[in-house]
Amino acid sequence: MIETSHAFAKINLSLDIISKMSDGYHYLKTVMQTVSLSDEITIECVPGKGAKDTKDTWDTKDTQYTKAKDTKDITIVAGLQFLPTDERNIAVKAARTFFAHTGITGYKTNIRIKKHIPVSAGLGGGSTDGACVLRLLDKMFDTKLGRSTLETLGKSIGSDVPFCIAGGTCLAEGRGEILTDLTSIPQSYFVICKPPFVCSTPELFRHVKCEKIHARPDTNGIIASLNKRDLSGVARRMYNVFEDILPRGARDIAEIKYALLDYGALGAVMTGSGPTVFGLFDSESQARKAFEHLKTGYRECFFTGTVDRLEGI
Ligand code: C5P
């Protein structure tokens, strides 16, 4: 059997770090939103000793793909040379977690990822691939695990995976796994732009000193604005505490923000642990103009819409 699905990116409309927990993780309070930028994931499960060799299974003309490495029963073909194709890949972890939980054995599983979401960019690219693998396998094997179990499995793979299971507009607390569904954001457009460097999430968290965070997002105000369907109210309150912690790149981030605001964004902030910045627009034409302008200077620039809560679980 074979199935394909989109794995959608996330952005953080706000991100607040409340405290450091005893396990070393940080207690977060963040409003997350699914956007239409996505990777494409195809999973093929073949019963028995093994599927055909990956070279036969996938289109070999797709030369951008790295050659699959056999990690016993799960093989992965990832779209970028530097992505791990072994157990360190979050998609492999997700498949392994699914099979361990359900007790299903005797299948050779091939995962193919067409990467479009920039990596180490604050867009949840790895987390959404992991979440998508869990959802797809649940569908393919008709295991009907349901949202709550999938989120619990997702938590063991990565902090953002539970949100990526459900998607839509959510408040995420704790490590990111305590989710509250929020009123969906009104129709809006996001221009997403990544400066040409990456941020390591663990490294950035190591720089966090909770007692030194002075400016914080108005999370409750964002939730109230969502309830009132007041997009400007959401945009005015967006803020990410990581922006004051970034060890470098502040100038790039400021330049992208100013450009987005100049082109009519209602608000512009960094997402996750950065360095990607997004602008929130109520006007599609203004968003397109901002996108056309920014993509002349930045290779990784995207025009996106919102995606509602993912159905089917
Ligand atoms: O859970 P995940 O593997 O995505 O987290 C990556 C790293 O980010 C963790 O090892 C931890 O250092 C940091 N982190 C944190 N608090 C969170 C989420 C992540 O300190 N709530």
PDB file of all heavy atoms in Angstrom, residues 24-26 28 158-159 175 201-202 205, ligand 1:
ATOM      1  N   GLY A  24      15.091  20.319  32.235  1.00  0.00           N
ATOM      2  CA  GLY A  24      15.951  21.070  31.317  1.00  0.00           C
ATOM      3  C   GLY A  24      15.174  21.741  30.192  1.00  0.00           C
ATOM      4  O   GLY A  24      15.689  22.656  29.539  1.00  0.00           O
ATOM      5  N   TYR A  25      13.958  21.277  29.942  1.00  0.00           N
ATOM      6  CA  TYR A  25      13.121  21.921  28.912  1.00  0.00           C
ATOM      7  C   TYR A  25      12.548  23.220  29.472  1.00  0.00           C
ATOM      8  O   TYR A  25      12.582  23.462  30.681  1.00  0.00           O
ATOM      9  CB  TYR A  25      11.974  20.994  28.485  1.00  0.00           C
ATOM     10  CG  TYR A  25      12.390  19.979  27.444  1.00  0.00           C
ATOM     11  CD1 TYR A  25      13.066  18.817  27.810  1.00  0.00           C
ATOM     12  CD2 TYR A  25      12.124  20.175  26.101  1.00  0.00           C
ATOM     13  CE1 TYR A  25      13.469  17.881  26.866  1.00  0.00           C
ATOM     14  CE2 TYR A  25      12.506  19.267  25.145  1.00  0.00           C
ATOM     15  CZ  TYR A  25      13.179  18.113  25.530  1.00  0.00           C
ATOM     16  OH  TYR A  25      13.567  17.214  24.587  1.00  0.00           O
ATOM     17  N   HIS A  26      12.009  24.028  28.574  1.00  0.00           N
ATOM     18  CA  HIS A  26      11.420  25.306  28.978  1.00  0.00           C
ATOM     19  C   HIS A  26       9.901  25.251  28.864  1.00  0.00           C
ATOM     20  O   HIS A  26       9.365  24.659  27.924  1.00  0.00           O
ATOM     21  CB  HIS A  26      11.976  26.443  28.123  1.00  0.00           C
ATOM     22  CG  HIS A  26      13.437  26.697  28.382  1.00  0.00           C
ATOM     23  ND1 HIS A  26      14.428  25.886  27.866  1.00  0.00           N
ATOM     24  CD2 HIS A  26      14.054  27.638  29.139  1.00  0.00           C
ATOM     25  CE1 HIS A  26      15.598  26.322  28.282  1.00  0.00           C
ATOM     26  NE2 HIS A  26      15.405  27.393  29.055  1.00  0.00           N
ATOM     27  N   LEU A  28       6.702  26.758  27.807  1.00  0.00           N
ATOM     28  CA  LEU A  28       6.351  27.749  26.774  1.00  0.00           C
ATOM     29  C   LEU A  28       4.875  28.104  26.814  1.00  0.00           C
ATOM     30  O   LEU A  28       4.044  27.345  27.321  1.00  0.00           O
ATOM     31  CB  LEU A  28       6.652  27.189  25.371  1.00  0.00           C
ATOM     32  CG  LEU A  28       8.034  26.632  25.086  1.00  0.00           C
ATOM     33  CD1 LEU A  28       8.117  26.131  23.650  1.00  0.00           C
ATOM     34  CD2 LEU A  28       9.096  27.692  25.332  1.00  0.00           C
ATOM     35  N   GLY A 158       9.214  14.840  19.413  1.00  0.00           N
ATOM     36  CA  GLY A 158       9.666  16.240  19.412  1.00  0.00           C
ATOM     37  C   GLY A 158       8.578  17.147  19.962  1.00  0.00           C
ATOM     38  O   GLY A 158       7.388  16.849  19.840  1.00  0.00           O
ATOM     39  N   SER A 159       9.012  18.283  20.537  1.00  0.00           N
ATOM     40  CA  SER A 159       8.071  19.150  21.257  1.00  0.00           C
ATOM     41  C   SER A 159       6.979  19.745  20.365  1.00  0.00           C
ATOM     42  O   SER A 159       5.871  20.005  20.825  1.00  0.00           O
ATOM     43  CB  SER A 159       8.833  20.290  21.928  1.00  0.00           C
ATOM     44  OG  SER A 159       9.793  19.759  22.804  1.00  0.00           O
ATOM     45  N   ARG A 175       5.984  21.911  27.304  1.00  0.00           N
ATOM     46  CA  ARG A 175       7.029  21.752  26.279  1.00  0.00           C
ATOM     47  C   ARG A 175       6.506  22.133  24.907  1.00  0.00           C
ATOM     48  O   ARG A 175       7.267  22.301  23.966  1.00  0.00           O
ATOM     49  CB  ARG A 175       7.461  20.280  26.240  1.00  0.00           C
ATOM     50  CG  ARG A 175       8.764  19.992  26.949  1.00  0.00           C
ATOM     51  CD  ARG A 175       9.036  18.509  26.910  1.00  0.00           C
ATOM     52  NE  ARG A 175       9.234  18.034  25.541  1.00  0.00           N
ATOM     53  CZ  ARG A 175       9.405  16.758  25.211  1.00  0.00           C
ATOM     54  NH1 ARG A 175       9.400  15.836  26.141  1.00  0.00           N
ATOM     55  NH2 ARG A 175       9.584  16.422  23.954  1.00  0.00           N
ATOM     56  N   THR A 201      18.021  25.253  17.579  1.00  0.00           N
ATOM     57  CA  THR A 201      17.043  25.427  18.667  1.00  0.00           C
ATOM     58  C   THR A 201      17.667  25.156  20.043  1.00  0.00           C
ATOM     59  O   THR A 201      17.546  26.002  20.941  1.00  0.00           O
ATOM     60  CB  THR A 201      15.816  24.520  18.427  1.00  0.00           C
ATOM     61  OG1 THR A 201      15.261  24.859  17.155  1.00  0.00           O
ATOM     62  CG2 THR A 201      14.763  24.702  19.497  1.00  0.00           C
ATOM     63  N   PRO A 202      18.360  24.005  20.243  1.00  0.00           N
ATOM     64  CA  PRO A 202      18.948  23.780  21.578  1.00  0.00           C
ATOM     65  C   PRO A 202      19.920  24.888  21.969  1.00  0.00           C
ATOM     66  O   PRO A 202      19.943  25.332  23.116  1.00  0.00           O
ATOM     67  CB  PRO A 202      19.682  22.441  21.424  1.00  0.00           C
ATOM     68  CG  PRO A 202      19.084  21.777  20.241  1.00  0.00           C
ATOM     69  CD  PRO A 202      18.596  22.867  19.338  1.00  0.00           C
ATOM     70  N   PHE A 205      17.971  27.953  23.085  1.00  0.00           N
ATOM     71  CA  PHE A 205      17.379  27.739  24.411  1.00  0.00           C
ATOM     72  C   PHE A 205      18.447  27.866  25.514  1.00  0.00           C
ATOM     73  O   PHE A 205      18.153  28.310  26.618  1.00  0.00           O
ATOM     74  CB  PHE A 205      16.693  26.368  24.497  1.00  0.00           C
ATOM     75  CG  PHE A 205      15.226  26.406  24.106  1.00  0.00           C
ATOM     76  CD1 PHE A 205      14.779  25.795  22.955  1.00  0.00           C
ATOM     77  CD2 PHE A 205      14.292  27.052  24.904  1.00  0.00           C
ATOM     78  CE1 PHE A 205      13.434  25.820  22.588  1.00  0.00           C
ATOM     79  CE2 PHE A 205      12.943  27.089  24.557  1.00  0.00           C
ATOM     80  CZ  PHE A 205      12.520  26.463  23.397  1.00  0.00           C
TER      81      PHE A 205
HETATM   82  O1  C5P B   1      11.698  18.528  21.649  1.00  0.00           O
HETATM   83  P1  C5P B   1      12.714  18.939  20.632  1.00  0.00           P
HETATM   84  O2  C5P B   1      13.659  17.835  20.275  1.00  0.00           O
HETATM   85  O3  C5P B   1      12.118  19.564  19.429  1.00  0.00           O
HETATM   86  O4  C5P B   1      13.583  20.070  21.319  1.00  0.00           O
HETATM   87  C1  C5P B   1      14.861  20.458  20.849  1.00  0.00           C
HETATM   88  C2  C5P B   1      15.606  21.121  21.979  1.00  0.00           C
HETATM   89  O5  C5P B   1      15.014  22.388  22.265  1.00  0.00           O
HETATM   90  C3  C5P B   1      15.593  20.376  23.291  1.00  0.00           C
HETATM   91  O6  C5P B   1      16.666  19.500  23.392  1.00  0.00           O
HETATM   92  C4  C5P B   1      15.700  21.485  24.312  1.00  0.00           C
HETATM   93  O7  C5P B   1      17.061  21.849  24.441  1.00  0.00           O
HETATM   94  C5  C5P B   1      15.001  22.658  23.653  1.00  0.00           C
HETATM   95  N1  C5P B   1      13.616  22.857  24.112  1.00  0.00           N
HETATM   96  C6  C5P B   1      13.378  23.415  25.350  1.00  0.00           C
HETATM   97  N2  C5P B   1      12.079  23.623  25.747  1.00  0.00           N
HETATM   98  C7  C5P B   1      11.047  23.310  24.951  1.00  0.00           C
HETATM   99  C8  C5P B   1      11.284  22.753  23.667  1.00  0.00           C
HETATM  100  C9  C5P B   1      12.577  22.538  23.279  1.00  0.00           C
HETATM  101  O8  C5P B   1      14.309  23.727  26.096  1.00  0.00           O
HETATM  102  N3  C5P B   1       9.796  23.547  25.365  1.00  0.00           N
END
